[in-house]
Amino acid sequence: MCRIFATQDPASYALVSRALRLNGHTTSIRLEAAYWTILGEIAANEGLTTPRFIGKLYDEVLLWHGEVANFTSMLRVTCTLYLRMADRRAGGGAPEDAAESPRTRENHAVVT
């Protein structure tokens, strides 16, 4: 099984930097190439360019949490959640809202 992981193309995990505007400021985000590919797929599914999707996500994180701590790591986890949700949909698993935060679920439970 490790052969599947060990023989992957090194280009897929090469770091790639991209300059983006987030909250009116130009910044550089450095991610592995595979993550940029997944983010591009997510953006296309949303009808957005990758930079526009990332900017929109950044703005929404600010609205939900008031700050964006370690945005690059959050982008990696976003890709992981996206792949897990796609796998669940393909296999008929948990619904999309299974990825909600505990805070959101608590709010839903309180509303009657």
Side-chain angles (χ1 to χ4, degrees), residues 42 57 64-65 74 77-89 93-106 108:
I42 297 169
L57 179 60
W64 279 88
H65 301 289
M74 198 224 48
V77 173
T78 296
C79 292
T80 303
L81 287 172
Y82 171 77
L83 293 174
R84 291 177 78 188
M85 288 169 36
D87 185 51
R88 285 184 183 134
R89 282 191 301 269
E96 281 187 42
D97 63 351
E100 285 183 318
S101 71
R103 188 177 116 198
T104 304
R105 277 182 274 179
E106 284 178 39
H108 285 289

Side-chain angles (χ1 to χ4, degrees), residues 20-103:
L20 304 165
R21 289 189 68 78
L22 298 176
N23 203 21
H25 301 284
T26 301
T27 189
S28 180
I29 295 178
R30 191 172 176 174
L31 291 168
E32 293 78 2
Y35 288 113
W36 286 115
T37 300
I38 296 165
L39 288 169
E41 183 179 321
I42 297 169
N45 288 340
E46 295 293 321
L48 301 168
T49 64
T50 302
R52 181 67 188 120
F53 169 74
I54 292 171
K56 190 173 180 178
L57 179 60
Y58 184 88
D59 292 343
E60 288 185 23
V61 171
L62 281 177
L63 286 172
W64 279 88
H65 301 289
E67 67 176 334
V68 182
N70 202 346
F71 189 62
T72 303
S73 291
M74 198 224 48
L75 289 173
R76 288 184 183 96
V77 173
T78 296
C79 292
T80 303
L81 287 172
Y82 171 77
L83 293 174
R84 291 177 78 188
M85 288 169 36
D87 185 51
R88 285 184 183 134
R89 282 191 301 269
E96 281 187 42
D97 63 351
E100 285 183 318
S101 71
R103 188 177 116 198

